[in-house]
Amino acid sequence: MSDIRNIVILTGAGISAESGVATFRGPDGLWEGHRVEDVATPEGFARDPALVQRFYDARRARLHEVQPNAAHAALARLDSEWKGDLLIVTQNVDDLHERAGAKRLLHMHGELKSAWCRACDARLPWEDDLGSGPACPDCGVDGKLRPDIVWFGEMPYEMERIDRALMEADLFVSIGTSGAVYPAAGYVQTARYCGARTLEMNLEPSQGSIFFHETRLGRAGELVPDWVEEVLEAN
Ligand code: APR
C-alpha cells in the first residue's frame, strides 16, 4: 500500500446510514415508502410533480437534523492530509461529506441543496422548499424549479472527470453502495482494468463484490476511520 499516489473513493447511501439518512434499497424494495420509479424518474415527476417536490422538500429539510458521522470525518481527514491526488465521488445527494470538511468532492447524482430551473437552465444553491413553486432568482419564471437531482434515465454529472480519475487511480475504494446502479457500479471494473488496486467497505457484499481485490464487511463508521489511519501511516 506504500506506493499509492492517486486515490478515487466512491461513496453511496451506506456511508450516511449511521447519520440517520435512509438508504435507497430497503428490504421492502421501497425508498422511504415510495416506489423509486415514482420519486426518482423524470416520468414520475411529470405524472405527479407535487408528490416529487414534497418528497425532496422533506429530505432537504431533514438535512438540518442529521450530522456527519465518523466515516465522513475520516474521509475529510484523508482529504486534508493526503498529499497525492484524491477524488471523492459521491452518489449521495446529502451534504454530509462537505459538512465534515471534504473538499475534493463531486456529487455525481446532484444535490438536495441545489435547484435546477427548467426555464433558464440555471443551477442554484437552494435551502428552502420547492413545492410552493417559487420564482427562479435568475430568470424570474415561477414554478419551473425542480430538485437538481439526477434521476433514473438522466445523465450523471462530471462523467469525463470521473473517468479520467479512474484511469489514473492507483487505489479505488467503494464505501456503502449496493453496486446496483450504473455507471457508478462499473467504476470498480474501469479502475481495476486500468491498474488500480480495489477495496470495498460495505455492510454486506455488494452486487459487484467479485470485482474487488479486497472486501471489508462492517459499518462504515468503524471501517473507514481504521482504513484512513492505515493509508496515512503507510504513505
Ligand atoms: N456501513 C456500510 N454500509 C452500509 C451501512 C453502514 N452503516 N448501512 C447500509 N450499508 C450498505 C447496504 O448494505 C447497501 O449495500 O449500503 C448500501 C446502500 O445501497 P443503496 O441503498 O442501494 O444505495 P446506493 O448504492 O448509494 O444507491 C445508488 O441508487 O436510487 C439511486 O440515485 C440513487 O445514488 C443512489 C443510487
Side-chain angles (χ1 to χ4, degrees), residues 39-51:
V39 292
T41 60
E43 295 79 13
F45 184 55
R47 239 183 347 258
D48 193 345
L51 168 84

Side-chain angles (χ1 to χ4, degrees), residues 22 32 60 64 66 69 73 85 159 194 200 202 227 230:
E32 303 224 328
R60 192 179 307 104
H64 298 294
V66 298
N69 64 51
D85 285 342
M159 301 266 277
C194 294
E200 140 168 277
N202 207 43
W227 170 73
E230 213 176 282

Side-chain angles (χ1 to χ4, degrees), residues 11-18 22-26 31 36 40 91-93 109 149-152 175-181 184 201-206 218-221 223:
T11 68
I15 199 168
S16 296
E18 287 157 70
T23 55
F24 293 93
R25 272 153 271 278
W31 179 17
V36 168
Q91 299 169 88
N92 298 343
V93 295
H109 289 167
I149 305 269
V150 176
W151 288 326
F152 287 95
I175 304 169
T177 175
S178 60
V181 175
M201 288 181 263
N202 207 43
L203 208 52
E204 59 199 348
S206 69
R219 291 154 66 92
L223 295 177

Side-chain angles (χ1 to χ4, degrees), residues 74-83 86 101-104 232:
L75 292 189
R77 176 185 170 211
L78 182 67
D79 187 0
S80 79
E81 295 182 22
W82 184 251
K83 303 278 185 294
L86 172 77
K103 302 271 186 297
R104 290 181 274 182
L232 288 173

Side-chain angles (χ1 to χ4, degrees), residues 133-150:
C136 169
D138 270 23
C139 70
V141 174
D142 286 330
K144 285 291 182 188
L145 293 170
R146 64 162 258 191
D148 187 10
I149 305 269
V150 176

